[in-house]
Amino acid sequence: MSGSDWALEVEGLDFAYHGHGGEADRQVLHQVSFRIAQGEKVGMVGPNGAGKSTLLLHLNGLLTGQGRLKVKGRPISKEHMAWVRSQVGMVFADPDDQLFMPTLVDDVAFGPLNMGEDHEQARRSAIQALERMGLKGFEDRSPHHLSDGERRRAALATVLSMNPSIWVLDEPAANLDPRARRELIALLRSLDTVFVASHDLDLVLQVCERCLVLDAGRIVADGPVRDVLGQAELMEKHGLEVPLRLKLEDGNVN
């Protein structure tokens, strides 16, 4: 593939959180390398503390480590940052990181406004995104008056309104009820390029064709999602478990 055929390229990424007050630096990512093709849906799994969230934050320049990172062939650098963030839609693990305006429609319109849409266009984009996330009629509500699951869907709407070509999601299914989770899976399946980190391995199995396993800041497996998540020894070694869906298919439920 040519450089422009890759949606995301990460090569040799190292990152450490710098210590303060005499604390030693904490190395979180170690020579992480992978590529994601345009149109590919890739999951990333691993135990708590593996470095998944830290890795995702590099993909639209919120963190900067040592290595070479590209979006559609362009370096993730200050020179290209506005463009990178228009292409890479980031859904954070904590929806409160994305909901900070007085009303939901203001929150969801914030991204389109910053991308150059006028107020009428941005409001229209926001209302359409809220409706798609099952939040029609919630436009004038305060984010603080929503349930955890509603805030999660509102955070997804803030990204949906900007129509990015690449979606990067951190634990998007947390606190969703079964119906909202099914709707999320349908949304993710309808998108073009997706990179999702999740402890919900069944969601990864249902959405993605490929899976990375990250542990202690290193990629320890990368391959077809069923091949990776179906390896009981690999899963156990890295604090994970074969998804129930695969166990049921194999008739191996213990």
Side-chain angles (χ1 to χ4, degrees):
M1 288 188 183
S2 66
S4 60
D5 292 325
W6 297 110
L8 294 169
E9 297 176 76
V10 177
E11 184 178 351
L13 177 61
D14 287 317
F15 180 79
Y17 288 107
H18 296 298
H20 299 284
E23 293 182 0
D25 289 355
R26 182 166 64 91
Q27 190 75 25
V28 180
L29 300 175
H30 306 265
Q31 289 294 296
V32 172
S33 297
F34 63 93
R35 290 173 171 174
I36 295 176
Q38 292 192 45
E40 193 174 20
K41 293 179 175 64
V42 180
M44 179 169 59
V45 303
N48 287 332
K52 299 187 296 298
S53 296
T54 298
L55 173 54
L56 296 185
L57 291 172
H58 282 78
L59 300 180
N60 70 350
L62 293 171
L63 289 177
T64 303
Q66 300 296 315
R68 290 165 295 284
L69 287 79
K70 294 181 180 180
V71 171
K72 294 185 174 180
R74 297 191 194 182
I76 300 179
S77 61
K78 289 182 180 179
E79 178 186 2
H80 301 296
M81 197 59 67
W83 180 85
V84 165
R85 289 177 178 169
S86 74
Q87 298 296 310
V88 180
M90 177 74 70
V91 179
F92 297 104
D94 184 350
D96 290 339
D97 289 339
Q98 291 178 259
L99 303 173
F100 50 84
M101 300 290 279
T103 68
L104 271 191
V105 73
D106 290 333
D107 265 320
V108 182
F110 183 84
L113 282 169
N114 277 276
M115 291 173 61
E117 291 187 12
D118 63 33
H119 284 274
E120 184 177 341
Q121 289 174 317
R123 182 177 176 84
R124 187 161 53 246
S125 296
I127 290 172
Q128 290 173 348
L130 286 168
E131 184 172 352
R132 190 170 176 187
M133 293 312 304
L135 295 171
K136 183 178 181 179
F138 283 57
E139 292 87 359
D140 296 322
R141 291 200 191 182
S142 166
H144 303 296
H145 297 159
L146 303 179
S147 69
D148 287 347
E150 288 167 343
R151 286 202 302 276
R152 175 72 56 184
R153 285 185 281 150
L156 287 161
T158 66
V159 177
L160 189 62
S161 67
M162 294 186 289
N163 194 31
S165 62
I166 302 164
W167 281 66
V168 174
L169 308 99
D170 195 356
E171 298 295 348
N175 299 319
L176 292 183
D177 62 30
R179 177 186 294 175
R181 181 182 175 278
R182 287 194 298 272
E183 291 170 350
L184 170 66
I185 289 171
L187 170 67
L188 296 180
R189 285 174 167 172
S190 74
L191 300 174
D192 184 30
T193 305
V194 173
F195 186 39
V196 55
S198 182
H199 287 296
D200 186 340
L201 303 192
D202 278 306
L203 177 144
V204 172
L205 187 63
Q206 289 174 269
V207 171
C208 302
E209 60 259 23
R210 176 178 158 211
C211 185
L212 313 179
V213 179
L214 188 74
D215 195 2
R218 292 180 169 86
I219 292 178
V220 296
D222 180 355
V225 65
R226 287 176 171 268
D227 292 351
V228 172
L229 296 184
Q231 293 183 52
E233 186 176 342
L234 173 72
M235 294 291 99
E236 182 177 354
K237 181 178 180 180
H238 297 287
L240 303 167
E241 190 171 345
V242 174
L244 179 59
R245 184 177 298 266
L246 285 182
K247 288 183 177 182
L248 290 171
E249 289 178 4
D250 293 340
N252 184 23
V253 181
N254 296 315

